[in-house]
């Protein structure tokens, strides 16, 4: 059985948000869908271990921002690879409060949809929350929404382990170590971020022109926070 056949199912890329006790939570999700037309209803699938799941389960409301193909990986990393238990994901993010009281993320969004949750089902690692649409608007009618295939193939993004579509990949066979090539790029195996020595990571204190091997060992991926040991050379 080849579980990679599941990768051929189409998905989008969204920020799902909710509210609980006056606090906000949000996460990247790829499984959001319309389930009925009369009344219009949607469903969103969230990992039970995620903080946003806890908020939706408690408040019975959620908002979905449909992300555009222009969404930078750093923004996706903020909501997809970091936990609201550790950082304030909404700091510096443009959002507004919707009809449900949940925050609606506006940055890089082409549309948003709000729903009140009437039912949920969750036999495994995830819960499918479903309910009627109580608010919806188009924010950008010119830019294409991002598909999950675009995220993987063009953005070179990875699926976090909490995603419903995550499939463990078989580890590659170890190859003899080769001397690093000048200008060698390195990719984060967790989120897909590519470190380019020509660009460096100025926000992380790494000047342009710094080879990967010269980066301090305590440096972490600027998108997901993975350690230097989670990077591997890019074969070009």
């Amino acid at each position: 059985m080849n579980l990679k056949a599941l990768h051929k199912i189409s998905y989008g890329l969204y920020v799902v948000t909710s509210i609980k006790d006056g606090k906000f939570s949000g996460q990247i999700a790829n499984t959001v869908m319309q389930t009925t037309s009369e009344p219009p209803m949607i469903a969103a699938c969230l990992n039970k271990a995620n903080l946003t799941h806890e908020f939706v389960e408690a408040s019975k409301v959620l908002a979905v921002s449909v992300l555009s193909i222009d969404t930078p990986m750093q923004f996706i990393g903020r909501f997809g690879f970091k936990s609201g238990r550790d950082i304030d994901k909404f700091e510096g993010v443009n959002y507004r409060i919707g009809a449900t009281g949940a925050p609606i993320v506006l940055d890089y969004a082409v549309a948003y949809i709000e729903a009140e949750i009437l039912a949920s089902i969750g036999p495994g690692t995830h819960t499918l929350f479903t309910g009627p649409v109580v608010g919806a608007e188009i924010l950008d009618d010119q830019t294409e929404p991002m598909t999950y295939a675009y995220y993987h193939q063009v953005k070179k993004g990875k699926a976090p382990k909490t995603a419903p579509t995550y499939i463990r990949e078989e580890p590659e066979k170890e190859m003899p170590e080769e001397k690093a090539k000048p200008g060698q790029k390195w990719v984060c195996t967790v989120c897909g971020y590519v470190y380019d020595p020509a660009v460096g990571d100025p926000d992380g204190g790494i000047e342009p022109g710094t080879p990967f091997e010269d980066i301090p060992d305590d440096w972490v991926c600027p998108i997901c926070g993975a350690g230097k040991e989670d990077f591997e050379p890019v074969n070009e």
Side-chain angles (χ1 to χ4, degrees):
M1 180 169 62
N2 187 354
L3 292 178
K4 288 186 178 180
L6 295 171
H7 291 167
K8 300 303 181 182
I9 299 174
S10 296
Y11 301 90
L13 206 67
Y14 317 93
V15 177
V16 176
T17 60
S18 192
I19 184 172
K20 177 187 175 186
D21 299 330
K23 297 180 180 180
F24 300 149
S25 183
Q27 67 163 82
I28 292 292
N30 68 347
T31 310
V32 175
M33 70 201 81
Q34 183 176 348
T35 57
T36 65
S37 57
E38 291 295 338
M41 297 179 69
I42 63 169
C45 192
L46 305 179
N47 191 289
K48 293 177 180 178
N50 288 356
L51 185 63
T52 303
H53 179 286
E54 176 185 319
F55 278 42
V56 174
E57 192 171 46
S59 66
K60 299 295 189 292
V61 299
L62 59 79
V64 177
S65 296
V66 183
L67 295 179
S68 75
I69 59 173
D70 297 332
T71 308
M73 285 297 292
Q74 287 82 357
F75 188 84
I76 295 171
R78 168 185 285 264
F79 282 96
F81 291 93
K82 297 179 180 180
S83 173
R85 297 182 178 94
D86 303 321
I87 69 166
D88 178 4
K89 295 184 180 183
F90 293 88
E91 182 179 358
V93 172
N94 186 27
Y95 68 91
R96 71 170 180 242
I97 306 303
T100 63
I104 299 169
V105 172
L106 303 176
D107 290 335
Y108 310 107
V110 299
Y112 74 82
I113 306 162
E114 296 183 87
E116 294 179 343
I117 304 306
L118 294 183
S120 62
I121 180 171
T125 56
H126 291 66
T127 297
L128 188 69
F129 295 102
T130 183
V133 173
V134 297
E137 294 291 344
I138 294 177
L139 301 174
D140 181 352
D141 205 17
Q142 302 301 314
T143 308
E144 290 292 321
M146 188 185 304
T147 65
Y148 206 46
Y150 186 94
Y151 168 70
H152 280 293
Q153 296 168 11
V154 179
K155 294 284 191 178
K156 305 301 181 183
K158 302 285 186 179
K161 293 181 179 181
T162 56
T165 54
Y166 175 78
I167 295 176
R168 186 192 304 273
E169 296 184 1
E170 293 296 325
E172 297 181 359
K173 294 181 179 179
E174 292 189 4
M175 301 294 290
E177 289 189 10
E178 296 182 2
K179 187 176 180 179
K181 302 176 184 177
Q184 174 74 61
K185 297 178 182 179
W186 291 70
V187 61
C188 176
T189 59
V190 177
C191 71
Y193 165 79
V194 175
Y195 175 80
D196 183 349
V199 178
D201 176 25
D203 291 341
I206 309 301
E207 295 295 326
T210 304
F212 185 80
E213 56 269 24
D214 291 345
I215 296 176
D217 291 339
D218 59 355
W219 176 81
V220 296
C221 175
I223 292 180
C224 68
K228 190 177 175 182
E229 68 277 4
D230 291 312
F231 280 72
E232 61 184 24
V234 175
N235 296 319
E236 296 181 315

